[in-house]
Amino acid sequence: MASKTNQTSVRRELRKDNAGRTARNQRENRGSTPVFPVHTPEADANAAAKVKK
């Protein structure tokens, strides 16, 4: 039989590992960066001006 100290240590470790599990799963599934437009008309218009000749 495990000692009370060992049981407590294992329980604390489990609790630490599971803390924030829901938030981590949501970030993994949904991503943490909001969706933003990459190719906007303004960016496409300025792209030709930024290309070095």
Side-chain angles (χ1 to χ4, degrees):
M1 186 170 144
S3 67
K4 292 288 186 180
T5 302
N6 196 17
Q7 287 177 350
T8 301
S9 300
V10 170
R11 286 178 181 155
R12 284 179 180 162
E13 188 71 24
L14 285 172
R15 201 166 57 240
K16 181 177 75 80
D17 288 343
N18 289 325
R21 171 58 56 194
T22 305
R24 282 199 297 268
N25 288 344
Q26 286 177 354
R27 281 194 302 272
E28 185 175 346
N29 292 330
R30 299 179 189 162
S32 60
T33 305
V35 178
F36 59 93
V38 176
H39 296 288
T40 61
E42 295 83 17
D44 291 339
N46 291 332
K50 291 185 179 182
V51 175
K52 292 189 177 184
K53 297 178 184 177

